[in-house]
Amino acid sequence: MAKLVLLSAGMTGRAHELKVDKTTIGRVDDNTFQIPEPSVSSHHCEILLRGSDVVVHDLNSTNGTFINGEKVTESVLKPGQVLRLGQIEMRLEAENGGSAPLAGAATASSAPSPAKKPVDQTVVMQRGVKLDELEQGARSGFDTAGKGFSKKEDKANRIIWISAGVLGLIIIALILYAMSSIGK
């Protein structure tokens, strides 16, 4: 059985075994393989098992689906190849844990392939704000005056509200005058 092994920082080693004919991958929890990362679309792609082939089909994702750096809409993913969804990279591994072809898959030749240089697959992931940073207040660079955040004054909005109040008082005064004139 083939599996997808995540390579990206913070998720390294996490894997998903491809057991069924169709595996959906995306950010939301109704996917077969959920990857809760902002660069992954809610329903990013699907993996289809067609005989001995593992086919990747992009589901109109925002950040694209790539196999070994090449953007694809639908393509066969071979063991050892790197699949990238947004900023997340994963490698297809065969059932033996290596990147050998899947059982039944044809190989181009039986001669051993030359050793490949390891590729640096370092991915820089953005991080959020830590709780203690929130408790400290504004970070340097944002607050140069030392006053913190303040509401911007909106003079046009203030003028509109004052005008509406004055107009309302005039209308009430006219109604009271009209009622007193009718009562006489």
Side-chain angles (χ1 to χ4, degrees):
M1 191 76 36
K3 65 181 175 179
L4 292 170
V5 178
L6 289 167
L7 305 171
S8 298
M11 297 185 187
T12 306
R14 184 175 160 212
H16 180 79
E17 211 169 300
L18 301 172
K19 299 177 190 174
V20 293
D21 291 340
K22 179 178 165 183
T23 301
T24 58
I25 302 175
R27 190 178 63 246
V28 295
D29 60 0
D30 66 345
N31 288 287
T32 313
F33 185 23
Q34 180 189 16
I35 303 175
E37 207 279 328
S39 68
V40 176
S41 293
S42 56
H43 297 96
H44 201 101
C45 70
E46 59 188 9
I47 307 293
L48 306 166
L49 298 179
R50 293 183 183 156
S52 62
D53 289 338
V54 176
V55 179
V56 178
H57 178 75
D58 184 73
L59 298 174
N60 297 321
S61 62
T62 303
N63 293 318
T65 300
F66 298 81
I67 295 178
N68 284 352
E70 186 177 323
K71 189 170 186 173
V72 297
T73 52
E74 183 168 302
S75 182
V76 173
L77 178 66
K78 294 181 168 70
Q81 288 185 320
V82 175
L83 173 65
R84 180 168 54 91
L85 311 178
Q87 296 294 320
I88 300 299
E89 289 187 335
M90 59 193 84
R91 181 179 12 253
L92 179 64
E93 292 186 358
E95 62 186 26
N96 59 6
S99 55
L102 299 173
T107 57
S109 73
S110 58
S113 61
K116 293 182 181 179
K117 283 186 175 180
V119 178
D120 182 16
Q121 298 177 352
T122 304
V123 176
V124 177
M125 308 240 337
Q126 296 176 339
R127 67 169 186 87
V129 179
K130 294 179 182 173
L131 182 59
D132 60 330
E133 290 174 345
L134 285 175
E135 292 169 349
Q136 292 172 4
R139 292 186 278 177
S140 63
F142 288 106
D143 183 21
T144 56
K147 293 191 251 179
F149 293 105
S150 62
K151 185 176 178 182
K152 183 177 173 182
E153 287 191 37
D154 188 2
K155 292 181 182 179
N157 197 20
R158 184 181 292 171
I159 291 171
I160 291 171
W161 280 106
I162 291 172
S163 300
V166 170
L167 185 61
L169 288 174
I170 291 172
I171 291 173
I172 291 172
L174 287 173
I175 292 172
L176 290 175
Y177 176 75
M179 289 177 65
S180 66
S181 296
I182 295 174
K184 289 184 181 179

